[in-house]
Amino acid sequence: MPRKTTRTAVDLLITLLLWAYYFAAFVFFFFPAYGAAALFASDREHAFQNLNCIFYRCFFAYLKLLMPGVTISIAPEVYAVRSSIVIANHLSFLDPILLLSLFRQHKTIVRSDFFKVPIFGWVLKSAGYLSPSLAQDSDAPDLMEQVKAMRAYLASGGNLFIFPEGTRSRTGAIGPFEKGAFTIAKLCRAPVSVLRIENTHRVYPPDSFFFKTGETVEIRISLAGSIEPAPKNETICISDMMRQARALLEGTGTHKP
Amino acid sequence: MTREEIRSEIIAICSREFEMENPDPEDDLREKFGFDSIDGIELLIQIEKMLQTELTQEEKKQSLNIRTINQVCDYIETIMKAREG
């Protein structure tokens, strides 16, 4: 069999095994845990976020088992990020689930239509994830109430992570930012922690169904810097925050971890 | 509050909170200033502060079609009338 065909067959097999994890691990191990959390947890959102974190930690452990060439290096200061709006560059579908696996107390913004998916939507909603839509006739949670409650959530140590580019970069260059993450940071007077993600696209490229399994790849996440909120009596300029965040991600800003 | 007072207040909010320069009451906020759903939330929070009342689900839903400052003014007037009634 030609080498390329063998490589494609291995990529397909490992991709199917990884997707099978989603189904099997959820049905046989995690669904009962989510059910128990829904029934008995005193803080349901936190319990669901914690379970999601564990679910994806197991996913990445399994991925590393199937793809021994892949290593994941997380800078220690990334784990220490708390009470922040966390933004990062976006290279691959792996990015959001990698961030989910890092923080036990986390929220993120998820496409509104995902909330309509049976069971999956219930997990998202129970974890307190936000929908970018204001529409109240959907199954999505009430964004306005969630934003109002965000300051208390952040004060309790939680993180909200958002990819301000809104879509994956096909070139590695940082695309234009949407300002939602910075508006929420301003409303909550919260710090913005800027993470730099590297090489996830080499494991699961955008626009591909297959994981690329044959390469030796080190996925890295580092803290590019933080933008502290302005004092209470000072006006916060969103465009300044966006410029600072871009400079940090592009490596031209001041590093203030 | 008169219509003119509402309009002045909304223009002040747009300049202060959304960094809009000289917005025209008929400008499409989304097209001209990139006003997004999170900005919409902030505007609704500012309207709640201005009117010192919480918006109902129905009122939040009605805000979805707002595009211009004049429409914001119409929206606020409708809420004020509903509260008076």
Side-chain angles (χ1 to χ4, degrees):
Chain A
M1 200 188 291
R3 204 171 165 173
K4 196 178 172 192
T5 313
T6 311
R7 184 76 269 148
T8 307
V10 172
D11 285 356
L12 174 63
L13 178 67
I14 289 180
T15 300
L16 292 176
L17 286 170
L18 284 166
W19 285 116
Y21 167 87
Y22 266 86
F23 177 76
F26 186 81
V27 170
F28 297 114
F29 297 106
F30 282 85
F31 188 64
Y34 283 110
L39 288 172
F40 305 116
S42 55
D43 183 344
R44 184 200 267 209
E45 281 191 0
H46 195 171
F48 270 67
Q49 290 161 18
N50 196 26
L51 281 168
N52 288 346
C53 174
I54 296 167
F55 182 83
Y56 288 109
R57 279 185 187 179
C58 294
F59 173 82
F60 282 103
Y62 183 53
L63 182 146
K64 286 193 287 183
L65 190 72
L66 293 175
M67 299 166 66
V70 173
T71 52
I72 301 176
S73 304
I74 312 293
E77 61 264 31
V78 172
Y79 287 114
V81 170
R82 295 280 183 283
S83 304
S84 290
I85 307 297
V86 177
I87 66 152
N89 58 315
H90 196 5
L91 302 168
S92 162
F93 274 138
L94 289 180
D95 302 336
I97 63 175
L98 190 52
L99 294 191
L100 287 181
S101 76
L102 296 183
F103 304 114
R104 285 187 179 269
Q105 200 181 347
H106 63 260
K107 290 191 180 190
T108 188
I109 296 184
V110 181
R111 277 172 46 178
S112 308
D113 48 344
F114 284 178
F115 287 92
K116 294 182 193 295
V117 179
I119 302 176
F120 182 57
W122 170 72
V123 171
L124 298 177
K125 201 169 180 177
S126 301
Y129 296 166
L130 284 71
S131 155
S133 168
L134 262 172
Q136 298 303 316
D137 53 349
S138 69
D139 295 326
D142 185 333
L143 181 59
M144 187 166 171
E145 292 311 312
Q146 286 189 306
V147 170
K148 282 182 179 175
M150 189 55 66
R151 191 183 284 213
Y153 163 76
L154 292 168
S156 74
N159 293 318
L160 170 69
F161 70 81
I162 298 175
F163 297 96
E165 293 165 275
T167 187
R168 291 156 294 156
S169 170
R170 267 64 177 175
T171 61
I174 310 295
F177 284 173
E178 292 171 9
K179 59 185 182 196
F182 304 94
T183 308
I184 295 175
K186 177 189 149 194
L187 280 169
C188 300
R189 290 204 173 259
V192 177
S193 295
V194 183
L195 301 188
R196 185 180 296 118
I197 299 176
E198 294 170 82
N199 294 331
T200 46
H201 64 298
R202 290 178 56 199
V203 176
Y204 194 47
D207 307 318
S208 169
F209 175 76
F210 298 121
F211 281 81
K212 280 182 83 174
T213 63
E215 286 191 55
T216 301
V217 178
E218 184 188 12
I219 291 174
R220 286 189 293 267
I221 302 188
S222 54
L223 181 63
S226 303
I227 303 164
E228 294 303 318
K232 205 171 180 182
N233 50 356
E234 281 183 28
T235 309
I236 298 173
C237 179
I238 288 180
S239 41
D240 277 352
M241 287 168 78
M242 290 169 78
R243 265 193 296 275
Q244 285 180 58
R246 171 172 292 281
L248 287 169
L249 267 182
E250 290 176 340
T252 55
T254 312
H255 184 88
K256 286 197 296 180
Chain B
M1 274 177 114
T2 65
R3 171 91 183 181
E4 204 42 53
E5 286 168 337
I6 294 170
R7 183 157 39 205
S8 304
E9 184 63 29
I10 294 301
I11 288 175
I13 288 171
C14 286
S15 305
R16 188 178 66 237
E17 304 296 338
F18 304 112
E19 300 166 28
M20 295 179 189
E21 286 179 20
N22 306 316
D24 184 275
E26 278 304 316
D27 281 339
D28 187 315
L29 299 177
R30 294 183 196 189
E31 278 185 14
K32 190 161 180 189
F33 299 103
F35 201 81
D36 61 20
S37 59
I38 307 288
D39 290 328
I41 297 285
E42 187 175 1
L43 179 61
L44 292 183
I45 291 171
Q46 294 291 340
I47 290 172
E48 284 189 340
K49 277 186 196 164
M50 188 175 146
L51 300 179
Q52 296 178 321
T53 182
E54 283 212 4
L55 300 174
T56 63
Q57 290 293 341
E58 192 54 37
E59 287 165 345
K60 287 181 211 168
K61 210 188 283 183
Q62 285 164 2
S63 73
L64 291 172
N65 298 321
I66 292 175
R67 293 286 182 282
T68 67
I69 287 174
N70 275 340
Q71 288 173 348
V72 177
C73 297
D74 295 341
Y75 176 72
I76 291 172
E77 281 185 330
T78 307
I79 293 168
M80 286 169 64
K81 272 182 200 153
R83 295 289 188 280
E84 285 166 12

